[in-house]
Amino acid sequence: MKSTFDTVRAEALFASALQASQAPSPAQVRAAVTSTLRRFGVKGCASRVAGEFGEHPETAASRMSWALQTVEAAYQDLAAREFAYAG
């Protein structure tokens, strides 16, 4: 089950300019999420996601799937490193 943070991050990644074809690194994903959230805010990202699902549901679904998987991997990597330092 995804957390609210994962969902918000995935929406921000979805709304960002990053593309799956770029194979972004975890650091690039986190930077894109941060800058997109700063630019549009949580509601703005959600609005962009909703708009794409309304206009292009056939491509929006695959982009959101990619965003969810990519965010999970990018932030799992970060959490693992932070946990290692806390030990």
Side-chain angles (χ1 to χ4, degrees), residues 16-78:
S16 77
L18 276 185
Q19 299 295 316
S21 61
Q22 294 173 296
S25 70
Q28 289 173 311
V29 170
R30 292 190 297 267
V33 166
T34 300
S35 65
T36 305
L37 281 170
R38 285 183 180 150
R39 182 173 179 197
F40 300 123
V42 173
K43 290 182 182 179
C45 291
S47 176
R48 289 176 174 272
V49 170
E52 284 299 309
F53 270 93
E55 294 178 21
H56 307 287
E58 66 286 347
T59 56
S62 62
R63 181 159 175 84
M64 182 51 80
S65 179
W66 166 77
L68 285 165
Q69 292 172 1
T70 303
V71 159
E72 182 178 5
Y75 286 88
Q76 183 177 22
D77 173 61
L78 180 64

